């Protein structure tokens, strides 16, 4: 073939710069250092080799730095998206941002409904420095500018900006600043603040790009954490409603159910403290009936007036209220006054003005306030718990009514059947006395008649007790029997007891309390001093109440009146009654304590 194909390239602008392959082969060999051939040599750049190597190294370092930053950014995005606990996610965001731009200090401020900072998470500041501060940032100055104008801000010197308001006392010095808003969907959730690179240089455009990318990923991570928490909260809400309703309708004691309600309310809201306070009978104060979480010992049983407190306003209006934090104007909830708490949420225990109390949840300072979804869940839970409490009370009322009906039936049977038959037997025996000729038979019959009369009185007293209304406190008759049973061991035998009249219905609480105390003192004296083998206790109620305790012991001694007897006399005088102690007709001691009853 023998044909040589010449490959031609673009002609250079300068002659001799580029040549065809054939031209290079045919060109004569040039002789060095010939003046007439200098124009054929290529023109080389007038740069030194060291400069070229330095520039190459600089560009390689830039590439490596960019690669490392991208790797760090990807790792940070993966890290903040791994956890689903919101507060953990927020701290991870701050730590990742400070690491990416090599900042000395970092913070994330969460914006509340009033455009103020409701939470401030810091990195690089020690706990000692935090404790030394006069107050946390409120969202003023540069921080407030970023809240009002949610756009990236980069400053070489914070103090030179016209919006700068300085730092609170004992605040670490800061100069360089980079602030980026964090958006969740279309709303600004908070701002990311970074100050002072460790190398002392200003933040640059690369820092802006990296932090902006991280802030975008942070918004997604925050939204995911919120959705997860909302799902968990709804799950706990469903479990709590089912558990409380089941407990109440199965007959569990209401006090135990209130403790269950307060534990579940705290779990639903993920709160540090929860309380249930019920209104006092006079509706002038609230009393804490159940508490769970921090400061439980300080708050248990606390009472607070209804006026001028958050809890009181919620109870009177039936509308939920919240306070933003320890510095909020509405923070004194009344129930938790004096306890270092941050955000507080109070909801009525019931619907509207028919509420029976309030349910309160609170967090320690520095935690996020309770969001609107949390408020709605707690309101619904408290309303359903109140309905369950109401149904349980109605069920107990029905059960009491059944008991009362049974008591009334038994009392009627005793009155119409037993008493009438006993009375007929007594009348028959009385007529038998008239026709008997033997005195000993007449005595025995009379004794049987007296026993029947005593039995009739005892049955009538039992009828009065059955017809008496039951309440939460033990009846007076039961309290007296408790004192008598308690004295059995010290006496060595069981006293004989006789009750006459409707004790449980006509004796008020004040007289009843004194009566129980006097009986306890009288039996105690008999056990310590009388050396008796029998003790008879009689309690009769009519226009007045009489307590009579008689024993067959050694009788009164000559050592004067004892202090215990003087106390019994003082009790009787304070109630307008009388007290007497004397020797019995056949020995022993007779104690009588009598006070009038008001009608």
């Amino acid at each position: 073939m023998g044909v040589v194909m010449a490959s031609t390239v673009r002609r250079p602008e300068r002659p001799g710069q580029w040549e065809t392959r054939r031209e290079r082969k045919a060109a004569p060999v040039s002789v060095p250092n010939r003046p007439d051939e200098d124009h054929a040599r290529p023109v080389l750049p007038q740069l030194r080799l060291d400069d070229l190597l330095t520039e190459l190294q600089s560009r390689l370092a830039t590439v490596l730095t960019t690669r490392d930053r991208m790797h760090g950014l990807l790792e940070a995005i993966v890290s903040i998206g791994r956890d689903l606990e919101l507060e953990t996610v927020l701290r991870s965001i701050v730590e990742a941002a400070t690491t990416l731009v090599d900042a000395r200090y970092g913070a994330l401020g969460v914006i509340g409904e009033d455009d103020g900072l409701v939470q401030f998470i810091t990195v690089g500041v020690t706990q000692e420095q935090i404790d030394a501060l006069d107050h946390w940032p409120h969202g003023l100055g540069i921080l407030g500018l970023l809240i009002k104008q949610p756009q990236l801000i980069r400053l070489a010197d914070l103090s030179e900006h016209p919006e700068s308001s300085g730092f609170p006392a004992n605040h670490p010095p800061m100069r360089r600043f980079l602030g980026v808003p964090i958006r969740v969907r279309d709303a600004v959730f908070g701002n990311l603040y970074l100050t002072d690179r460790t190398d002392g240089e200003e933040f640059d455009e690369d820092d802006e790009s990296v932090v902006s990318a991280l802030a975008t990923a942070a918004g997604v991570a925050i939204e995911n954490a919120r959705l997860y928490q909302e799902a968990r909260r709804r799950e706990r809400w469903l479990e709590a409603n089912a558990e409380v309703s089941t407990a109440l309708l199965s007959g569990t004691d209401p006090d135990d159910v209130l403790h269950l309600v307060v534990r579940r309310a705290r779990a639903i809201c993920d709160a540090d403290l929860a309380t249930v306070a019920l209104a006092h009978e006079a509706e002038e104060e609230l009393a804490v009936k159940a508490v769970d979480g921090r400061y439980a010992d300080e708050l248990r049983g606390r009472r607070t007036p209804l006026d001028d407190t958050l809890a009181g306003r919620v109870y009177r209006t039936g509308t939920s209220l919240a306070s933003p934090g320890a510095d909020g104007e509405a923070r004194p909830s009344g129930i938790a006054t004096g306890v270092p708490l941050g955000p507080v949420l109070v909801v009525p225990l019931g619907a509207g003005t028919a509420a029976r109390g309030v349910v309160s949840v609170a967090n320690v300072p520095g935690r996020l306030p309770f969001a609107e979804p949390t408020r709605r869940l707690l309101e619904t839970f408290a309303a359903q718990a109140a309905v369950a409490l109401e149904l349980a009370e109605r069920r107990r009322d029905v059960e009491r009514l059944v008991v009362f009906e049974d008591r009334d039936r038994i009392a009627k049977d005793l009155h119409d059947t037993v008493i009438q038959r006993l009375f007929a037997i007594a009348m028959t025996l009385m007529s038998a006395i008239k026709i008997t000729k033997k005195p000993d038979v007449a005595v025995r019959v009379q004794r049987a008649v007296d026993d029947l009369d005593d039995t009739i009185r005892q049955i009538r007293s039992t009828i009065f007790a059955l017809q008496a209304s039951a309440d939460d406190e033990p009846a007076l008759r039961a309290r007296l029997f408790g004192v008598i049973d308690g004295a059995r061991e010290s006496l060595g035998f069981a006293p004989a007891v006789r009750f006459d009249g409707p004790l449980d219905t006509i004796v008020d609480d004040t007289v009843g309390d004194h009566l129980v105390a006097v009986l306890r003192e009288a039996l105690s004296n008999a056990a310590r001093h009388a050396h008796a083998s029998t003790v008879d206790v009689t309690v009769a109620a009519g226009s007045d109440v009489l307590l009579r305790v008689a024993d067959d012991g050694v009788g009164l001694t000559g050592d004067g009146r004892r202090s215990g007897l003087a106390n019994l006399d003082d009790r009787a005088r304070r109630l307008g009654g009388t007290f007497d102690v004397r020797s019995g007709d056949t020995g022993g001691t007779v104690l009588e304590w009598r006070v009038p009853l008001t009608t």
Side-chain angles (χ1 to χ4, degrees), residues 106-254:
L108 193 154
V110 180
I111 302 174
E113 296 180 356
D114 58 350
D115 292 335
L117 295 179
V118 296
Q119 189 177 22
F120 203 72
I121 302 170
T122 61
V123 170
V125 182
T126 65
Q127 187 61 43
E128 290 76 11
Q129 291 174 317
I130 295 175
D131 295 338
L133 294 177
D134 291 342
H135 59 81
W136 278 102
H138 298 302
L140 306 175
I142 300 298
L143 305 188
L145 177 63
L146 197 57
I147 294 174
K148 292 182 290 186
Q149 301 176 6
Q151 298 175 355
L152 187 145
I153 299 177
R154 177 162 56 97
L155 301 174
D157 193 338
L158 277 167
S159 61
E160 295 180 356
H161 195 279
E163 293 285 339
S164 178
S165 59
F167 297 104
N170 302 318
H171 194 283
M174 297 179 183
R175 185 183 179 193
R176 316 294 189 188
F177 179 81
L178 177 60
V180 180
I182 298 177
R183 300 178 184 272
V184 177
R185 295 185 179 178
D186 295 331
V188 177
F189 174 82
N191 295 309
L192 192 59
Y193 310 110
L194 302 166
T195 58
D196 293 352
R197 286 176 49 163
T198 56
D199 57 6
E201 298 294 328
E202 299 180 19
F203 294 107
D204 54 25
E205 294 181 356
D206 291 340
D207 296 330
E208 289 184 4
S209 301
V210 171
V211 177
S212 297
L214 179 65
T216 302
V220 177
I222 291 170
E223 179 66 9
N224 290 337
R226 278 178 162 181
L227 293 175
Y228 173 75
Q229 286 190 345
E230 184 68 17
R232 287 288 306 275
R233 192 173 289 116
R234 288 185 176 276
E235 181 181 354
R236 291 193 293 264
W237 174 77
L238 291 172
E239 293 175 353
N241 281 329
E243 188 175 1
V244 170
S245 299
T246 301
L248 280 171
L249 298 180
S250 62
T252 305
D253 186 83

Side-chain angles (χ1 to χ4, degrees), residues 1-8 20-26:
M1 301 273 293
V3 179
V4 178
M5 301 293 293
S7 61
T8 306
T20 65
R21 204 173 292 169
R22 177 180 296 175
E23 289 171 340
R24 286 199 301 272
K25 290 180 65 177

Side-chain angles (χ1 to χ4, degrees), residues 502-532:
L503 292 173
D504 295 329
T505 56
I506 66 174
V507 179
D508 58 39
D509 293 339
T510 302
V511 175
D513 292 340
H514 283 284
L515 182 63
V516 171
V518 170
L519 177 61
R520 183 179 292 109
E521 179 67 24
L523 293 177
S524 175
N525 287 337
R528 287 181 295 173
H529 308 294
H531 305 293

Side-chain angles (χ1 to χ4, degrees), residues 53 60 104-105 111 150 160 204 206 260 265 276-277 293 326 418 447 479 493 524 528 573 590:
L53 291 175
L60 287 174
R104 190 182 304 276
Y105 305 107
I111 302 174
E160 295 180 356
D204 54 25
D206 291 340
L260 175 61
V276 171
V418 178
R447 187 178 301 166
R479 295 171 63 190
F493 55 87
S524 175
R528 287 181 295 173
R573 292 180 182 278
V590 177

Side-chain angles (χ1 to χ4, degrees), residues 6 48 53-54 169 177 186 392 394 429 442 555 559 573 576:
R48 297 179 61 184
L53 291 175
T54 301
F177 179 81
D186 295 331
R394 295 294 174 265
L429 292 175
D559 56 354
R573 292 180 182 278

Side-chain angles (χ1 to χ4, degrees), residues 328-351:
E329 182 178 347
R331 195 207 70 84
S333 64
I335 294 173
T337 301
V339 176
L341 292 177
V344 176
L345 172 62
V346 185
V347 303
L349 182 61

